[in-house]
Amino acid sequence: WGIPIDLEQFKWGGQDGLKIDAEVERTRQLTIEEEISLWAVLADGYHGLIELYIISGKRASIWRDLTKAQVSLANRTVRVRLLKKKGGWQWKTYDLTDRELEIITEAMAKSNHDTAVFTAPSRRPGDKGKRRPITQQML
């Protein structure tokens, strides 16, 4: 329209500005003291699962929902189902490190469940103490 605009007159950032500030990243590392406290209060059954999250960097659901059928101790692999961005599922096989294999082997030995690898003692009144698969809510 031919009307000159002085862009310097606008406040471009901040709380009242025209642009939204970039979101601040919410992740942080635990301090040594916090990490020691975490391991001390974790209930039975969670130590191996949490260690897998830390050492592998894989999605929580990959390990939490792992079934015995997906594990090949002889081949040192796990076969997991991944959701692809364009829709649909795809199976992917991961090689296990020595420590990952050790954790999974220990979890399978403790598990009394037919399919689940990772189980923990229930806190429900009806089946208190009985091992059951770890769910998102339990975590």
Side-chain angles (χ1 to χ4, degrees), residues 41-135:
V41 299
L42 275 178
D44 176 37
Y46 293 89
H47 287 87
L49 183 58
I50 300 300
E51 187 178 345
L52 276 175
Y53 293 159
I54 293 169
I55 65 175
S56 74
K58 291 181 177 55
R59 290 184 175 271
S61 60
I62 286 177
W63 297 124
R64 185 192 65 235
D65 302 334
L66 190 66
T67 65
K68 293 175 181 176
Q70 293 173 264
V71 177
S72 172
L73 296 177
N75 294 328
R76 301 173 55 99
T77 59
V78 292
R79 190 167 182 251
V80 298
R81 194 168 76 162
L82 304 173
L83 181 62
K84 299 314 264 179
K85 287 183 182 178
K86 293 185 179 183
W89 293 95
Q90 176 182 354
W91 287 92
K92 180 165 178 147
T93 301
Y94 290 110
D95 293 328
L96 296 172
T97 65
D98 291 341
R99 183 62 186 143
E100 290 170 345
L101 180 65
E102 185 180 337
I103 292 168
I104 290 171
T105 303
E106 288 173 12
M108 288 176 71
K110 284 183 182 178
S111 176
N112 62 348
H113 194 266
D114 293 339
T115 59
V117 171
F118 293 100
T119 60
S122 177
R123 294 183 181 171
R124 289 191 214 166
D127 59 347
K128 191 169 183 138
K130 180 182 173 190
R131 294 188 81 84
R132 59 187 209 120
I134 295 175
T135 63

Side-chain angles (χ1 to χ4, degrees), residues 22-51:
E23 186 175 322
V24 177
E25 189 173 337
R26 295 186 214 180
T27 58
R28 70 172 184 85
Q29 292 184 351
L30 295 176
T31 65
I32 297 295
E33 294 79 18
E34 288 171 328
E35 185 174 344
I36 292 168
S37 296
L38 169 69
W39 292 113
V41 299
L42 275 178
D44 176 37
Y46 293 89
H47 287 87
L49 183 58
I50 300 300
E51 187 178 345

